[in-house]
C-alpha cells in the first residue's frame, strides 16, 4: 500500500491541499471529481509528458466518470510565450471551458506556469489543478500560485498570482524524468534547508543520493517537506510584499544572470543555475564577512557530491553577468536585492546591494 503525505497551503478561502506520494495519477479522477461543477475537464500537457503519462490520467478520469479533452503543446521554455498562451486560450475555449470548470496542468514548470496563467484570464478566471511531473515543479513551481510567460525583455515578466485548487505530486512519474532534470530539481529541495532549516539541510546531506536514486520514501519526504516549507512562506507573504517570499529567490539573482547568458537554453537548466547561484550567495556572503567560510564550503561540497555545478560554466565576464543582474525583476530603483546568508539556514533579504561590489566578487571568482 503506497503512502501519501498531505500538505495544506493555508490561504483562507483559497487554501488547497498538496498530496504527495506514488500512485496519485491513478487516483486523480477520484480526487478531482468532488471539485468539479460538471464531469468534464481539459488536460494541458506537453508532447513528452503526453506520450508518457496522459493515458494513465485519462483512464483515471474515465473511471471517475469525468470526460476529458487534451491539449498538447511543444515541450520546453519556448512554450511560455504570448503565441502559445493565445493558442492555449483558443483551444480551451474551443473545448467549451466555462468559468466554473477546472483545467488540469500535467507537466513541468513550463506547463504549470502557462496553464495557470491561461486559467487566470480565461473567462476572467477559472480554476485549475496542478499535476507536476518534474521534481522542480513538485517542490516549487506548482505551489504558491505564481503563473506567467516570458517576453523578449525577459523571463516571467507577464503573469499573475492564481492559486491552484489542488496539487497532486505523484513521485512515481519522476521515474521517467532524465537524471539531469531530477538533479536540477533537487537544487530547489536543498534551497529550503539553506533558507531557514539547518536540520533539513543535514537531512539532504544524508539522503540526497537516495532522492536522486529514486527511492520512493526519500522522494516523498523531500517533496512533502519542501512543499510544507514553501507553503509556510507563501501563507506568510503570498504576493511577495513583505520580504518573506523573496527568500525563495536564494541563489536566483546570481542564477538568473547565468541563465540569461546561456539564453535560457538546455545548456544550463534552471535548477543548475540555482545551484551555482546558491554557491555564489554563500561564497559572496563569506567574502563580505557575513557567513562562516566553513558553511559555504559545506554547501558547495553537498551540491558537488550530488553532481550539481557550483561555478560559472560560461565564458561570460564579471561585467556581462553584472549587467544581467541589473535587469533582475527584484531590482528596485536601480538597487539590487540579494538573498544573503549568515550561515546554513540563516538566509535573509538584503536590499541596496551595490552592483560594483558584486562585480568585484565575480571578478575575483573568475581570476
Ligand atoms: P519543463 O517544464 O521544461 O520540464 C523539463 C523537461 O522535462 C521538459 O522537456 C518536459 O517535457 C520533460 N518532462 C516533464 N515531466 C517529465 C517526466 N515525468 N518524464 C520525462 N520527461 C518529463 O521544466 P521545469 O524544470 O519543470 O520547469 C521550469 C519552469 O518552471 C521555468 O519556466 C521556470 O520559470 C518555472 N518556475 C516557476 C516557478 C513558480 O513559482 N511558478 C518556480 C520555479 C520555476
Ligand atoms: N519560486 C519563487 C516563488 O514561488 O516565489
Amino acid at each position: 500500500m503506497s503512502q501519501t503525505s498531505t500538505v495544506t497551503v493555508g490561504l483562507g478561502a483559497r487554501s488547497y491541499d498538496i498530496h504527495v506520494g506514488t500512485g496519485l495519477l491513478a487516483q486523480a479522477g477520484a480526487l478531482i471529481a468532488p471539485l468539479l461543477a460538471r464531469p468534464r475537464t481539459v488536460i494541458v500537457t506537453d508532447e513528452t509528458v503526453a506520450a508518457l503519462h496522459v493515458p494513465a490520467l485519462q483512464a483515471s478520469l474515465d473511471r471517475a466518470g469525468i470526460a476529458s479533452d487534451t491539449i498538447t503543446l511543444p515541450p520546453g521554455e519556448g512554450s511560455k510565450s504570448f503565441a502559445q498562451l493565445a493558442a492555449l486560450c483558443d483551444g480551451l475555449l474551443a473545448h467549451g471551458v466555462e468559468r466554473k470548470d477546472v483545467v488540469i496542468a500535467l507537466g513541468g514548470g513550463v506547463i504549470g506556469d502557462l496553464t495557470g496563467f491561461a486559467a487566470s484570464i480565461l473567462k476572467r478566471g477559472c480554476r485549475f489543478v496542478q499535476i507536476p511531473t518534474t521534481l522542480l515543479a513538485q517542490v516549487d513551481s506548482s505551489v504558491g500560485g505564481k503563473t506567467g510567460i516570458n517576453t523578449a525583455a525577459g523571463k516571467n515578466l507577464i503573469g499573475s498570482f492564481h492559486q491552484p485548487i489542488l496539487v497532486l505530486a505523484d513521485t512515481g512519474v519522476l521515474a521517467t524524468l532524465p537524471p539531469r532534470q531530477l538533479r536540477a530539481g533537487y537544487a530547489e529541495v536543498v534551497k529550503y534547508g539553506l533558507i531557514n532549516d539547518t536540520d533539513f539541510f543535514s537531512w539532504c546531506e544524508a539522503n540526497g543520493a537516495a532522492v536522486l536514486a529514486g527511492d520512493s520514501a526519500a522522494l516523498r519526504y523531500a517533496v512533502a517537506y519542501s512543499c510544507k516549507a514553501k507553503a509556510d512562506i507563501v501563507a506568510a507573504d503570498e504576493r511577495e510584499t513583505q520580504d518573506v517570499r523573496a527568500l525563495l529567490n536564494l541563489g536566483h539573482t546570481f542564477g538568473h544572470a547565468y541563465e540569461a547568458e546561456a539564453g535560457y537554453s538546455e545548456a544550463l537548466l534552471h535548477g543548475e543555475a540555482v545551484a551555482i547561484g546558491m554557491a555564489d550567495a554563500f561564497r559572496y556572503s563569506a567574502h563580505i564577512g557575513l557567513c562562516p567560510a566553513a558553511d559555504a564550503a559545506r554547501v558547495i561540497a553537498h551540491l558537488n557530491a550530488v553532481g550539481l555545478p557550483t561555478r560559472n560554466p560560461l565564458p561570460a565576464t564579471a561585467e556581462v553577468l553584472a549587467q544581467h543582474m541589473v535587469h533582475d525583476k527584484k531590482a528596485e530603483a536601480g538597487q539590487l536585492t540579494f538573498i544573503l546568508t549568515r550561515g546554513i539556514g540563516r538566509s535573509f533579504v538584503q536590499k541596496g546591494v551595490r552592483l560594483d561590489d558584486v562585480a568585484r566578487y565575480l571578478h575575483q571568482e573568475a581570476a
Side-chain angles (χ1 to χ4, degrees):
M1 178 77 184
S2 63
Q3 276 186 290
T4 301
S5 303
T6 300
V7 173
T8 300
V9 185
L11 290 168
R14 285 169 293 103
S15 296
Y16 54 94
D17 284 341
I18 305 164
H19 299 304
V20 183
T22 52
L24 285 165
L25 209 54
Q27 296 171 47
L31 291 165
I32 292 170
L35 307 174
L36 301 183
R38 56 179 179 154
R40 56 175 302 179
T41 186
V42 177
I43 303 164
V44 183
T45 191
D46 74 27
E47 286 155 11
T48 307
V49 177
L52 294 165
H53 299 298
V54 163
L57 177 56
Q58 276 170 339
S60 168
L61 294 169
D62 281 353
R63 283 195 300 279
I66 303 168
S68 62
D69 292 298
T70 301
I71 296 176
T72 305
L73 305 171
E77 195 64 34
S79 285
K80 275 176 59 173
S81 66
F82 270 118
Q84 289 297 344
L85 176 69
L88 175 56
C89 289
D90 286 343
L92 292 169
L93 292 171
H95 286 304
V97 173
E98 297 178 357
R99 191 186 272 177
K100 285 187 177 164
D101 285 336
V102 172
V103 173
I104 299 175
L106 175 75
V110 165
I111 289 298
D113 281 11
L114 177 68
T115 307
F117 189 35
S120 77
I121 54 177
L122 199 89
K123 305 226 165 148
R124 299 209 170 83
C126 66
R127 299 173 299 154
F128 82 117
V129 168
Q130 290 264 23
I131 307 187
T133 62
T134 62
L135 181 58
L136 183 133
Q138 294 192 351
V139 300
D140 190 357
S141 63
S142 67
V143 176
K146 280 190 181 174
T147 76
I149 58 170
N150 309 323
T151 74
K155 254 188 77 149
N156 299 325
L157 294 181
I158 305 289
S160 63
F161 286 97
H162 188 55
Q163 300 291 345
I165 57 167
L166 176 70
V167 180
L168 301 179
D170 185 338
T171 50
V173 305
L174 302 178
T176 59
L177 196 63
R180 184 180 169 205
Q181 292 281 356
L182 192 69
R183 229 176 6 252
Y186 178 74
E188 301 278 9
V189 173
V190 175
K191 181 183 78 177
Y192 295 109
L194 298 182
I195 290 174
N196 60 4
D197 194 334
T198 318
D199 289 347
F200 185 58
F201 179 72
S202 299
W203 184 89
C204 287
E205 289 179 308
N207 296 282
V211 171
L212 293 173
D215 177 273
S216 63
L219 263 175
R220 189 179 74 250
Y221 186 85
V223 173
Y225 201 99
S226 299
C227 287
K228 172 81 172 83
K230 181 158 183 182
D232 287 347
I233 288 176
V234 169
D237 183 17
E238 183 184 9
R239 295 205 165 215
E240 206 166 309
T241 53
Q242 294 162 55
D243 286 356
V244 178
R245 186 164 181 164
L247 288 168
L248 295 170
N249 294 323
L250 175 64
H252 283 59
T253 303
F254 285 108
H256 281 159
Y258 300 124
E259 274 188 288
E261 188 56 21
Y264 300 103
S265 70
E266 296 275 311
L268 191 66
L269 300 180
H270 176 71
E272 293 169 340
V274 168
I276 303 168
M278 292 191 302
D280 276 324
F282 273 79
R283 272 193 299 257
Y284 177 68
S285 297
H287 167 84
I288 59 175
L290 268 177
C291 158
D295 279 28
R298 191 175 154 201
V299 171
I300 290 162
H302 178 56
L303 294 172
N304 287 156
V306 296
L308 281 164
T310 52
R311 286 209 177 265
N312 175 18
L314 308 165
T317 62
E319 289 73 20
V320 167
L321 292 170
Q323 273 315 305
H324 286 303
M325 291 174 191
V326 174
H327 299 297
D328 191 272
K329 268 204 302 307
K330 297 176 292 302
E332 283 173 11
Q335 298 272 292
L336 293 175
T337 299
F338 274 77
I339 312 308
L340 298 183
T341 184
R342 296 189 178 85
I344 292 167
R346 301 180 63 208
S347 300
F348 63 97
V349 179
Q350 178 69 60
K351 293 193 169 153
V353 174
R354 289 174 57 107
L355 187 62
D356 52 358
D357 206 37
V358 177
R360 239 190 327 272
Y361 155 78
L362 290 170
H363 252 305
Q364 182 182 305
E365 280 298 295

